[in-house]
Amino acid sequence: MSVFTTVTPAELATWLKRYSLGDLVELKGIAAGITNTNYAVSTTQGKYVLTLFETLQASELPFYVNLMAHLAHHGIACAAPIANQRDEMIDSLCGRPTVLVGWLQGEPVDVPSPTQCHALGAMLAQMHRAGETYPGHMPNPRGPQWWTAAASELYPYLSSVDASMLRNEISQQGRARFAHLPSGVIHADLFRDNVLMHGDRIGGFIDFYYACNDILIYDLAITVNDWCALPDGQIDAQRAQALCAGYQSARALNAAEREAWPLMLRAAALRFWVSRLWDWHKPPAGELTYRKDPGVFQHILHAHQQRGDAAHWL
């Protein structure tokens, strides 16, 4: 359960006086997420989500919080941060930086339908387009430089076969050149648990705290790898085609993006294979994180390597 910092109703009732949201009715922990504490907050005026940041400092939050406000202002289905009476969107509670956002309708889905995948793709493309006017900039902290450095510390934990697979993929990705591809603000973690579905409609994107600037189709590849993966690592073609069609209904891919697509799917799988290997073998002492099976993205990467060409999904 991702409630690492306990907030009592009395503490929250006092804290809410900083806002113009009425009186506290209910406070309930949310058992979702990995690194932050989340509460559902009901007041006499509405329902909200309160996030207490366990690792990020207040000085690190403006890029993400201002991005959420920017996207919501442009009609993207995401939670808009709420300012306190001092017009601050970043506050503090129980010694932790906090952000309060409006409640979004919907819930994550375990096995999305092609119709839901199409809606997701369209909203992702609309988010990329809305991000074109966002002035903030954040280099990807978990890009090729990070995964290369992390892998060098992980090889001793792996079998010779897995270590060879990881080395070879990092080497191939290192020889690729993507600077000519369209880039901008990406979510970078748009897994199923970070999207709320309201039937076949997108209720909202959540958890923007890995957002950064990077290649746009890398974001699409991350999303396909999670939303369309089968238990054996293969990709459900019907879902993948629907998601990519939805994306291109709002933002068409150019020839260079289509050519890079198969390798970008592998890059997206590689990034999460390395990060899960890191969490599994080298969790920092005291870090609040759940260890997830790294084999999931290893299987997805292997399936992409075997497939070779996935351009037909586009």
Side-chain angles (χ1 to χ4, degrees):
M1 181 172 179
S2 61
V3 175
F4 306 108
T5 297
T6 300
V7 178
T8 68
E11 288 172 326
L12 187 63
T14 299
W15 182 83
L16 278 173
K17 295 184 185 301
R18 305 179 191 183
Y19 293 78
S20 302
L21 300 174
D23 298 324
L24 178 63
V25 174
E26 184 180 32
L27 171 65
K28 187 176 182 180
I30 299 175
I34 297 176
T35 59
N36 298 318
T37 292
N38 297 286
Y39 284 96
V41 177
S42 296
T43 76
T44 52
Q45 292 185 198
K47 192 170 183 179
Y48 312 91
V49 175
L50 170 67
T51 298
L52 291 84
F53 296 90
E54 305 290 350
T55 56
L56 290 174
Q57 302 301 309
S59 60
E60 300 175 281
L61 292 175
F63 173 85
Y64 311 109
V65 175
N66 293 333
L67 172 61
M68 292 160 63
H70 174 89
L71 295 176
H73 177 71
H74 285 78
I76 304 304
C78 69
I82 297 170
N84 60 25
Q85 292 174 347
R86 297 188 301 273
D87 205 30
E88 300 165 334
M89 292 187 292
I90 301 169
D91 208 316
S92 63
L93 176 63
C94 297
R96 298 286 190 268
T98 62
V99 172
L100 188 68
V101 302
W103 184 269
L104 297 170
Q105 293 295 320
E107 57 187 30
V109 294
D110 291 330
V111 183
S113 68
T115 300
Q116 291 171 325
C117 288
H118 189 280
L120 171 68
M123 185 61 69
L124 177 60
Q126 291 163 18
M127 189 199 83
H128 287 166
R129 294 185 63 185
E132 293 172 2
T133 54
Y134 182 61
H137 187 85
M138 175 71 70
N140 189 347
R142 293 208 163 187
Q145 184 175 359
W146 172 82
W147 70 47
T148 301
S152 68
E153 298 188 41
L154 292 169
Y155 293 129
Y157 297 93
L158 305 181
S159 69
S160 59
V161 173
D162 289 351
S164 177
M165 178 182 175
L166 183 56
R167 281 195 183 93
N168 291 339
E169 186 62 34
I170 288 177
S171 177
Q172 180 160 352
Q173 293 290 339
R175 294 192 298 271
R177 295 294 178 265
F178 298 126
H180 62 296
L181 299 178
S183 63
V185 176
I186 68 171
H187 185 284
D189 193 32
L190 203 59
F191 282 30
R192 282 165 286 178
D193 58 355
N194 285 332
V195 179
L196 304 178
M197 296 299 306
H198 192 54
D200 288 334
R201 181 175 63 82
I202 303 296
F205 292 172
I206 61 175
D207 199 354
F208 279 81
Y209 303 108
Y210 280 105
C212 57
N213 290 79
D214 210 325
I215 305 300
L216 297 182
I217 62 164
Y218 175 65
D219 212 15
L220 179 60
I222 289 172
T223 308
V224 166
N225 279 347
D226 182 71
W227 278 70
C228 307
L230 299 171
D232 63 356
Q234 296 293 329
I235 299 296
D236 183 312
Q238 187 178 14
R239 276 188 265 167
Q241 288 167 353
L243 202 158
C244 291
Y247 186 91
Q248 292 199 91
S249 71
R251 178 186 169 270
L253 302 183
N254 64 31
E257 289 176 301
R258 289 171 173 272
E259 182 179 359
W261 176 240
L263 196 57
M264 197 62 71
L265 285 162
R266 289 166 57 172
L270 172 64
R271 175 262 190 262
F272 285 95
W273 183 25
V274 172
S275 64
R276 290 194 176 185
L277 283 171
W278 186 268
D279 291 342
W280 191 266
H281 294 290
K282 300 179 73 68
E287 181 172 304
L288 301 172
T289 185
Y290 293 149
R291 298 199 302 172
K292 295 185 177 180
D293 181 9
V296 172
F297 282 95
Q298 181 183 10
H299 296 326
I300 293 173
L301 174 58
H302 183 260
H304 286 318
Q305 290 173 333
Q306 296 298 111
R307 181 179 297 104
D309 180 18
H312 60 279
W313 295 344
L314 305 178

